[in-house]
Amino acid sequence: MKKYLFLSAYNYSNCFVKRDLSNCYIAVPTNDSAVNSDVKAKYKAIFSENYFEISYKKESLIDLIRLVKPDVLITFGWRRILKPEWICDIPEKFNIHPAILPEYKGYHPVPHVLINDEKRHGITAHVLSEKIDSGGIVLINEFSISRFSTLESLQFKANLLMPKFVNELLELIE
């Protein structure tokens, strides 16, 4: 069974409620406004001794990777770029991006989806590569945008789809 390390700075705890997590580890950043004490408590309750808080500093991540020795790294909502040399010992590396790639790369893509009057939005899983949001696409889940959609409604819908999306990604990886 593969060993997974998740890096997240947002509350995606609902993705892990109905899963065997004995081979899964999660790290959240220690000093990030998106990760409040409630989010940390939820992850800690779910992952127990496999829960870690680390800084965004390179050394913290490298130390965690050495400790966990994951086969698979999955980032979603991790708000820092991971240098290839930091994660080179991990065989499989993926990012879950909150928009459809390759069209909407980068940080905070959702406002641009609305500005461009798109009709579809979604979530993309891709292989981590040296260029941001440029690795091979593994999985996309799309949904319709109405003329009444807002930034909040699109993020809410993506968050509702996230548990199923994460499970589909894990099945593909296995």
Side-chain angles (χ1 to χ4, degrees):
M1 184 178 279
K2 293 182 180 186
K3 193 183 295 186
Y4 292 85
L5 174 59
F6 296 92
L7 301 178
S8 183
Y10 293 104
N11 182 12
Y12 293 120
S13 58
N14 59 345
C15 294
F16 303 105
V17 174
K18 297 178 181 177
R19 251 196 112 63
D20 172 16
L21 298 173
S22 58
N23 62 329
C24 297
Y25 300 78
I26 193 161
V28 299
T30 52
N31 296 322
D32 190 313
S33 60
V35 187
N36 62 33
S37 58
D38 289 340
V39 173
K40 291 177 180 179
K42 286 178 183 178
Y43 277 135
K44 189 167 185 145
I46 293 167
F47 283 87
S48 188
E49 70 276 353
N50 293 350
Y51 167 84
F52 298 91
E53 291 181 29
I54 64 171
S55 76
Y56 279 124
K57 293 180 180 175
K58 163 182 115 173
E59 296 79 17
S60 295
L61 180 61
I62 291 172
D63 288 347
L64 180 62
I65 290 169
R66 285 182 182 142
L67 175 71
V68 173
K69 297 179 181 76
D71 302 301
V72 180
L73 172 69
I74 298 176
T75 64
F76 54 142
W78 192 253
R79 294 161 26 126
R80 296 295 186 273
I81 295 169
L82 302 175
K83 303 259 186 206
E85 60 269 18
W86 303 351
I87 57 175
C88 63
D89 292 335
I90 304 172
E92 298 178 84
K93 302 167 265 290
F94 304 93
N95 178 52
I96 298 175
H97 183 71
I100 298 171
L101 292 175
E103 290 83 7
Y104 288 96
K105 296 179 181 180
Y107 197 60
H108 289 306
V110 182
H112 300 284
V113 170
L114 291 171
I115 290 166
N116 293 339
D117 199 29
E118 296 287 356
K119 303 296 178 229
R120 312 259 329 133
H121 183 55
I123 312 165
T124 304
H126 65 93
V127 176
L128 279 172
S129 64
E130 286 194 41
K131 287 187 173 186
I132 296 171
D133 298 331
S134 295
I137 294 172
V138 177
L139 183 64
I140 295 178
N141 190 322
E142 295 184 15
F143 56 87
S144 298
I145 297 175
S146 79
R147 63 187 181 126
F148 304 107
S149 293
T150 63
L151 176 67
E152 291 80 17
S153 70
L154 293 180
Q155 289 173 325
F156 181 78
K157 193 160 189 178
N159 287 345
L160 283 178
L161 295 172
M162 193 63 77
K164 182 177 182 251
F165 187 82
V166 169
N167 281 318
E168 286 178 38
L169 176 61
L170 294 176
E171 286 174 19
L172 285 172
I173 294 168
E174 287 296 321

